Amino acid sequence: MAIQPYQEQSNVSNPIKRIRWATQRVTGSGAGKKRHGIIDRLHRRSGSTEKKRASGEASHHGVQAQDGDGSEDGDEQEESQRRIFFNIPLPSDAKDEEGRPITKFSRNKIRTAKYTPLSFIPKNLWFQFHNVANIYFLFVIILGIFQIFGNPNPGLSAVPLIVILFLTAVKEAIEDWRRTVLDNELNNLPVQRLVDWHNVNVSDDDISLWRRIKKATTRGIISTYRFGKAKMGKKPEHGNGFVQRALDEPRVSADTSRSIGHSRASSRTSFHSINSGIGEEGIQMTPVPSPQPGHDRKLEVAHGEGAQRPVSAFSYQKSDLTLRGEDDELGARGHSDQDLGDSIPTKFYGSLLNPLKSAPGKARFVKDYWKSVKVGDFVRIYNEDQVPADVVILATSDPDGACYVETKNLDGETNLKVRQALHSGRQLKHAKHCEQAEFVIESEPPHANLYQYNGAARWTQRDIKNPGEPGKDMAEPISINNLLLRGCSLRNTEWVLAVVVFTGQETKIMLNSGFTPSKRSRIARELNWNVIYNFVILFFMCLVSGIIQGVTWSQSDNSFTFFEFGAIASSPALDGFITFWSCVILFQNLVPISLYISLEIVRTLQAFFIYSDTFMYYEKIDYPCTPKSWNISDDVGQIEYIFSDKTGTLTQNVMEFKKCSINGVPYGEAYTEAQAGMQRRQGIDIEEEGAKAHKQIAEDRIKMLKDLRKMHNNPYLRDDDLTFVAPDFVNDLDGSSGQAQRMANEQFMLALALCHTVITERTPGDPPKIEFKAQSPDEAALVATARDCGFTVIGRSSDGILLNVMGEDREYKVLNTLEFNSSRKRMSAIIRMPDGKIILFCKGADSVIYSRLKRGEQSQLRKSTAEHLEMFAREGLRTLCIAQKELDEQEYQKWNEEHDVAAAAIVDREDKLEKVSDVMERDLTLLGGTAIEDRLQDGVPDTIALLGDAGIKLWVLTGDKVETAINIGFSCNLLNNDMDLIVFCIEDGNLESATTELGKHLNAFGITGSDEELQAARKNHEPPGPTHAIVIDGDTLGLVLDDSLRQKFLLLCKQCKAVLCCRVSPAQKAAVVQLVKSGLDVMTLSVGDGANDVAMIQQADVGVGIAGEEGRQAVMSSDYAIGQFRFLQRLILVHGRWSYRRLAESIANFFYKNIVWTFALFWYQLSNDFDTTYLFDYTYILLVNLVFTSLAVIAMGVLDQDVNDKVSLAVPQLYRRGIERKEWTQRKFWLYMADGIYQSVICFFMAYLVFRPANFVTDNGLSIDDQKRVGVYVACATIAVVNIYILLNTYRWDWLMLVLVTISILLIWWWTGVYSAFTSSAYFYKAAPQTYGQLTFWLQTLLTISICLLPRFTVKAFQKVFVPYDVDIVREQIRQGKFSYLDQYEAYVPPKAVSSPSSSEISQPIRSNQGGPAPLADDERPIYPPSVAPTGTTHNPRSQNGSDGTDYTGARLSLERPTRPSLDRPRPSFDRMRNSMDRIRPSYEASNDFTSAALLTRMESSHSPVHSPTRSVHGPSGLR
């Protein structure tokens, strides 16, 4: 069976014109600095990603400084506007004196690597010496070169710094080499480029000397590498690589291709079509294999498995239509459209071809590298190929000029997007046509906004019949819909001919790979102060040493006079000065040079373990938890506030059409989670009622499917895909309720099937399967429901949409599509119906549609529809309104002319188009409303409950309406029935009203919002009681974020358990995060899944992106990427807590060990008047931090566990130490420092006291009281003390930790034995056997270890027995077996029951409930019992307990006898909600006009009497 190629409506073709508002997304001022561009993502950088990119991408030719939205003043646009000439000589103002172009364009070769072979060493050293510690140690090494400062081995002293610099350089080189390889692969990808013609926009001979040097260097290195590889005996691979092969292969022309085989494509059928063998239908531009292995085979497959893959949309021609093997699909339409079309005015678009110009015929397309592409080049792009630069489409294989691109590499979205060729360029097919074309493209300057572009093509239209006439100047606007961006991939389109407008660093993908907001962890920021404290201590140690040494040399009555000949310096002051700097060298270990690299190692391994956690792996999309910022893992253990998006984050963003209201009649049966939550708060047994509802829905589902097939055997209806269960809708569609309701239902479904921008995807089969790809899952759900009800979108013709309506094929011409965006909150499609009428269909938010309805009409329908929409929203459903407007021909043509003028504008095009569209979208007629369910993700209620038990506060920031957000809040355990909802809704928008309302609620808590209260709030980390919650809309939020109110609002929110911000913009989300983050001085985490969440993700201390249905923009911008919201519990409560505790303990122990070692040296100076004599052999000083003490402290930072992951989740309260920041404090730092000083005293003076009364000799009579051998006594004991001390502070004593500590202790003994065995060790020769052979050495070491560690051991024992921490109690309970029940779980998740099936799963058997583990006896229960989510009684892990905004808990309400039957036949779902509504009417919400119905009523132009509860069918007037 033939698979048809894509066809889609044109954006400006006659008669289709499209306003792509989807490309007009609002961006902030920082849009030019979006995080993680595609090139960065390809490189998968590790470690300090932000610093690398910031330094490596610092120069973007100044383009980065532009605003993200690309908007500029007119003057600036005039100055920087780009003109590109094609086959037209450059004007004099565009050339220099030598005739070369003045404008220099960026090369298309990109380099994201930091370094080149020439710059690596100097540049890498430059970056590394930005670290203050490295500068300090370089300074120490330079000091040591001068013998006057007494360094015994200046060369050896440089070894630690050299090792650290070398290891860091190797790491950087490996990472940069990977980036370079990817850059080269990208730059050397093949593309078809037009050659042997003159591109006047660039000069080929303008190559700088520096570029020539770099090229020569690169060639030299490659030649050397290949020569070395050949010498190694490696044989080259057979044949060339695919890139080189592609460049070597000749490109067959369009004529010769027909001689060697049939064309693989036609202008009417796909290249997979079974008709593709017809030579006469061959395309004029012959396809070539994509330069990828195996692609040729794919193109040649026409039958079998290769032909079964889905292909989106169809290109229909009446003479060649192949659907299900039928040749007469469109025969039913007759000629009405054709006859009608004769009377419709058509527009002449002109052609870029100059018919009077003779083409030389030399130009040809050849395969070249991407890096050779230049601005002004003609390029051909083929199916599955990536776009090499930002190009304007001139022609495509589609006769309508449509092509389809996948922008996954650019913005993460996987759905296909349609792009259009210029009307004036669609005649260009061959290379000779490119020579004949004469035109100029006027383009805006490059900017980073992915969704906006303004330009125009200008040319002189010649008349071949009148060659002597001067010609007519013409222009065609160019928008983002005519642009293919670098990095996108061409899909389901055989070829595209385009011209290049932006290259290299000026392409949008590169402009978006710019700077990332730099995030440093809180501990890292505080650590700088601790390093400074060490510098201060070092300064005073050196100062004391210098003063004492200077005073000593000034005295003449001491032993120096007899044993020393003269002084190094000429005066005591100068001698003290020299001693000061000598002590800087001697005590250099006090400043931890290895601390930073050790922390890098620890954080890298922590990130690896997070990535490797299989319990955070989302199998559905094959996505593990991916750390993107490796240096903030400890921040994840201190989170106090989480800010979450709702749609796609808490919910699945998988939309299911559930209900609708048409002409005042509600349809649809569903039992949502929010509805179950509402009934539970009313005292209803939702288990019993839910079972009844599910049974009823299952029966209705069977009946509806039977009635649908009886009315029309729809081949596109699949039983499993049906989500809209409404048998009464089918009956009404069949006319059982009268002709008026039947027409209303038909018109409603037609609106759903026509007002959209989806792309159809057809999978052949019997019957065939039609699916839809849309930019919004809501839109796909609407079109899919229309398909299920018999109104199937089967494709698009050249100028419209093809529908199969109840078995009849129809074509509807789409005249204009005015697309949805966040500011319009609506979309419209202007359709020419088969009878010739022009109708505008509009769908959008209820408030927007109601405000645009025709005044004075449909008052009763408005009221009933508003009530239905309110009920739908209370069930947790997302609602939309559907409306229409009939246009007369004259009105439309007049408006269309204004639209064309606005579309041709280069400056402010979007604003002008929106104004024109606003005029048309008025005086609408209401058709009805829709309700779509977006279910909670698995585990969301339990995760939120678990995080709440840990003391973390969750705020939801969503764009949804208030009622929906409240219901979701109840369903996900964020709100409960005992809470008082504080609803902020300042309708008059007055700041004074907001002030009054804030003051009223603050008084209820007994606070005023003062500075003193704010300071107290910053110190109080206790979670507020579950008594209050705040719900606020976006308009009111804008008021309370005013400088005069923000502090009061913050303090009020601090008193509330939960905060829900509704109808908020991305900028408001970021503002709320910043308010809490800076106002309360807390650690914040933002989680979201869409582009609208990027701002708050970047603003928070930790940003988490969810790889969901809205693309990967949030993932690109995040610090951690996860597949589902529920993985937050492991990320935060397990890995975050572990990382924070481990890192805090590691840093404290790191400072401790340096203090012990350095002060042992300092105490020795007391015995030699601070003459900076070295007690230890110099190798000890070099290796102490590098080898002897580093393994244990790194292992502690990576592997230590106080409790395992299951207990961490079972007792989430353990996390609160992180919130209160008790693991790393300045008090802890100074206690460890004091402990280190004490132990240094013991380590030195124990050895000192051993030698003080007498001396020891070896078996050969040699003395061992010299300083080097005494140093062995001190050093070995000190290293043992330090490593055992670290072990003592470690919770987990497994075999690996014990082995590492043992190795670290034995290393110094081994090194002493090996090094002293060589005569090159000078005075240290034979030190090991001489000291190890003494019993005093071993006794002194044992006593030193005991005395040093005794205080620490005593304090820890006292603390754990008498003042235990929570973790100490829990660890004791683990030993007692009170957490043994966790062994039955693979990875512990709080006990919960199995969910009841969703409305879409009713056809499956209902599963029986499964309880959690058996309850424990009181004496076996842990001190902190496992957290059980409050929704445990619902037996639903994805429970959506809806809310009515009240705390009403009335008596049980039975479903069997509804108190308000509103229909003449049973509608259980509708009656359930009406009954609930009756209970809610006297509530707080209703009394404050908070409901949707009340709000929408205000928008009506007239008010009708109370709507009757009985079923009412509106006549035709309801539609007009």
Side-chain angles (χ1 to χ4, degrees), residues 1062-1168:
C1062 311
R1063 298 293 195 187
V1064 293
S1065 66
Q1068 286 180 320
K1069 291 183 178 182
V1072 171
V1073 175
Q1074 174 62 23
L1075 171 66
V1076 177
K1077 175 182 171 182
S1078 59
L1080 295 178
D1081 187 29
V1082 294
M1083 301 298 293
T1084 58
L1085 180 147
S1086 293
V1087 54
D1089 73 318
N1092 60 334
D1093 303 317
V1094 170
M1096 74 171 182
I1097 285 176
Q1098 293 184 343
Q1099 184 64 58
D1101 294 291
V1102 178
V1104 176
I1106 292 183
E1109 301 291 330
E1110 294 186 8
R1112 301 290 169 87
Q1113 300 96 322
V1115 167
M1116 295 179 220
S1117 307
S1118 64
D1119 303 303
Y1120 292 87
I1122 57 178
Q1124 290 273 277
F1125 182 85
R1126 67 177 183 271
F1127 297 145
L1128 272 184
Q1129 57 179 280
R1130 282 191 69 85
L1131 179 62
I1132 295 175
L1133 302 182
V1134 177
H1135 292 284
R1137 195 181 69 83
W1138 278 352
S1139 296
Y1140 171 56
R1141 204 203 62 77
R1142 289 167 174 170
L1143 213 61
E1145 198 65 36
S1146 297
I1147 294 173
N1149 281 271
F1150 212 104
F1151 282 112
Y1152 149 80
K1153 69 185 183 66
N1154 284 2
I1155 281 289
V1156 175
W1157 182 262
T1158 306
F1159 269 83
L1161 282 172
F1162 182 77
W1163 304 131
Y1164 174 66
Q1165 302 304 310
L1166 295 174
S1167 303
N1168 56 26

Side-chain angles (χ1 to χ4, degrees), residues 1159-1198:
F1159 269 83
L1161 282 172
F1162 182 77
W1163 304 131
Y1164 174 66
Q1165 302 304 310
L1166 295 174
S1167 303
N1168 56 26
D1169 294 324
F1170 292 91
D1171 65 353
T1172 65
T1173 305
Y1174 286 73
L1175 172 64
F1176 305 137
D1177 183 82
Y1178 197 67
T1179 58
Y1180 285 178
I1181 296 177
L1182 299 180
L1183 298 177
V1184 61
N1185 275 330
L1186 211 58
V1187 177
F1188 297 152
T1189 60
S1190 59
L1191 291 178
V1193 75
I1194 290 176
M1196 168 189 279
V1198 175

Side-chain angles (χ1 to χ4, degrees), residues 1296-1480:
L1296 181 58
M1297 190 68 189
L1298 294 173
V1299 167
L1300 291 176
V1301 170
T1302 303
I1303 289 176
S1304 299
I1305 294 173
L1306 295 179
L1307 266 176
I1308 189 170
W1309 292 336
W1310 175 84
W1311 172 255
T1312 304
V1314 172
Y1315 179 63
S1316 66
F1318 297 94
T1319 55
S1320 58
S1321 60
Y1323 293 109
F1324 202 54
Y1325 182 64
K1326 296 292 185 181
Q1330 293 168 5
T1331 53
Y1332 296 169
Q1334 300 298 318
L1335 180 62
T1336 54
F1337 171 81
W1338 303 104
L1339 289 175
Q1340 178 263 342
T1341 300
L1342 183 60
L1343 285 173
T1344 300
I1345 294 173
S1346 302
I1347 298 174
C1348 284
L1349 300 181
L1350 183 60
R1352 179 68 175 178
F1353 180 82
T1354 304
V1355 170
K1356 288 182 75 71
F1358 178 84
Q1359 176 265 314
K1360 291 182 182 300
V1361 172
F1362 296 103
V1363 282
Y1365 298 144
D1366 294 343
V1367 70
D1368 298 324
I1369 299 175
V1370 172
R1371 282 168 60 85
E1372 184 176 347
Q1373 292 177 335
I1374 294 174
R1375 301 278 296 181
Q1376 296 172 352
K1378 294 185 178 181
F1379 287 92
S1380 59
Y1381 71 95
L1382 297 177
D1383 296 339
Q1384 64 185 297
Y1385 298 100
E1386 188 177 14
Y1388 179 73
V1389 176
K1392 62 183 180 183
V1394 178
S1395 65
S1396 56
S1398 64
S1399 301
S1400 61
E1401 299 168 343
I1402 298 305
S1403 58
Q1404 303 175 1
I1406 300 177
R1407 299 177 182 178
S1408 59
N1409 295 331
Q1410 299 177 7
L1416 300 174
D1418 291 340
D1419 58 342
E1420 295 179 351
R1421 192 173 298 277
I1423 186 172
Y1424 294 113
S1427 172
V1428 179
T1431 56
T1433 57
T1434 67
H1435 300 287
N1436 191 343
R1438 296 183 295 175
S1439 171
Q1440 279 196 351
N1441 309 327
S1443 165
D1444 57 10
T1446 72
D1447 56 356
Y1448 183 83
T1449 54
R1452 168 173 172 166
L1453 181 65
S1454 173
L1455 288 177
E1456 298 175 355
R1457 294 176 300 176
T1459 58
R1460 246 187 106 184
S1462 59
L1463 306 171
D1464 53 2
R1465 56 174 172 256
R1467 294 177 187 262
S1469 180
F1470 179 80
D1471 292 333
R1472 279 194 298 270
M1473 286 309 299
R1474 284 299 293 264
N1475 294 334
S1476 297
M1477 291 278 290
D1478 291 340
R1479 311 295 294 265
I1480 293 164

Side-chain angles (χ1 to χ4, degrees), residues 51 55 123-135:
K51 294 187 289 185
S55 56
K123 199 171 183 180
N124 182 262
L125 290 176
W126 170 256
F127 287 137
Q128 289 207 54
F129 280 105
H130 278 64
N131 189 326
V132 178
N134 288 346
I135 296 176

Side-chain angles (χ1 to χ4, degrees), residues 242 314 522 537 709 782 808 958 1113:
F242 72 87
F314 307 99
R522 178 182 287 271
I537 294 172
R709 299 205 182 277
L782 296 175
E808 176 188 356
T958 178
Q1113 300 96 322

